[in-house]
Amino acid sequence: MNQRLSAEQKQFYADNGYLTGLAPIYDEAGVTSLNVGVQELYKLLKPGETPIEIREWHEGCKFLFDICMHPQILDYVEDILGPDFYLWASSFFTKEPNTPDIVAWHQDAYYWPLTPPESCTVWLAFSDSDEGNGAMRVLPGSHKAGLIRHKKTDANDSVLTLECDTGTYREDDEVYLELKAGELSLHDDKIIHGSKGNNSERPRIGFTIRYS
């Protein structure tokens, strides 16, 4: 029997725009299989390509499609979006050890031509993700403001071209979404979020799945 979100968890997501603290989706053996699988995907990349190029590969890769269709994941998403939803995107966000690349503060929905903006993203940890290796950080409750101004980023080490305009957020409200391998977080497409570089000796591998 799959777990369902409690009324308190659903209210927390509605109020804060994210949710963590859920039971692991994959056990130790499952995590090992995930990482064996992703290494096989890396072998399919062309010279010069990076894991960020693995976008929407669930459309032709059963390994990724089965992850996206994991019954427990779908039940969590249904508890957020209701029973009428669809899968439309997936991608990897990988930070190798000792890499300075950041993700500037932004809102996912600003990049997506979806109306109305109402997506739930699952961030599945293939490896431990914490403050030390560049875990995602969010500004709780920022999704309630709707879409806000973005500008071209001035950061040379940002993997994105746009960032939230200065003065539209308070960085000191940040919360790190720390996950163990096999765990996941959920976040609203309008929450302001980003991440710092990976200053550790450990990789940080996350797989995002988008549902609307």
Side-chain angles (χ1 to χ4, degrees):
M1 183 73 82
N2 292 336
Q3 295 188 25
R4 305 304 298 238
L5 298 183
S6 66
E8 291 77 15
Q9 288 172 317
K10 288 187 280 189
Q11 189 61 53
F12 184 93
Y13 182 92
D15 292 340
N16 294 277
Y18 75 94
L19 186 64
T20 57
L22 302 170
I25 299 295
Y26 293 93
D27 59 15
E28 184 176 354
V31 169
T32 297
S33 295
L34 290 180
N35 284 283
V36 168
V38 77
Q39 293 301 321
E40 291 300 311
L41 294 181
Y42 289 169
K43 295 177 183 178
L44 302 176
L45 292 170
K46 298 176 183 177
E49 289 186 330
T50 65
I52 195 65
E53 306 296 334
I54 305 176
R55 304 182 67 89
E56 283 70 76
W57 283 22
H58 67 269
E59 296 175 356
C61 173
K62 190 174 186 301
F63 166 64
L64 294 180
F65 183 78
D66 286 347
I67 296 172
C68 296
M69 292 292 105
H70 192 295
Q72 181 61 82
I73 293 177
L74 296 182
D75 280 350
Y76 285 151
V77 174
E78 181 179 41
D79 287 340
I80 297 296
L81 296 178
D84 186 13
F85 66 92
Y86 62 98
L87 161 68
W88 66 273
S90 68
S91 58
F92 277 95
F93 288 94
T94 300
K95 294 188 179 186
E96 297 298 333
N98 299 304
T99 51
D101 293 345
I102 69 167
V103 177
W105 291 116
H106 70 286
Q107 294 172 299
D108 289 340
Y110 196 88
Y111 284 84
W112 300 337
L114 299 177
T115 304
E118 190 176 350
S119 292
C120 176
T121 294
V122 170
W123 203 103
L124 177 63
F126 276 49
S127 65
D128 291 353
S129 178
D130 51 52
E131 184 175 353
N133 67 352
M136 190 172 88
R137 51 182 183 153
V138 302
L139 302 182
S142 56
H143 64 301
K144 293 183 177 180
L147 295 182
I148 62 174
R149 295 189 308 274
H150 283 57
K151 65 176 183 178
K152 287 188 176 181
T153 181
D154 297 325
N156 294 327
D157 52 0
S158 177
V159 300
L160 299 180
T161 57
L162 299 174
E163 64 180 340
C164 292
D165 201 359
T166 305
T168 58
Y169 60 90
R170 289 174 51 88
E171 187 169 344
D172 54 358
D173 294 332
E174 69 181 4
V175 171
Y176 283 87
L177 304 191
E178 298 194 323
L179 302 169
K180 293 293 186 182
E183 296 180 344
L184 62 76
S185 64
L186 307 168
H187 69 267
D188 185 279
D189 59 358
K190 296 177 292 298
I191 194 170
I192 298 174
H193 64 291
S195 63
K196 296 182 179 180
N198 181 358
N199 298 318
S200 76
E201 300 295 330
R202 299 170 289 123
R204 194 218 68 176
I205 304 174
F207 182 55
T208 61
I209 317 169
R210 322 283 190 179
Y211 304 90
S212 290

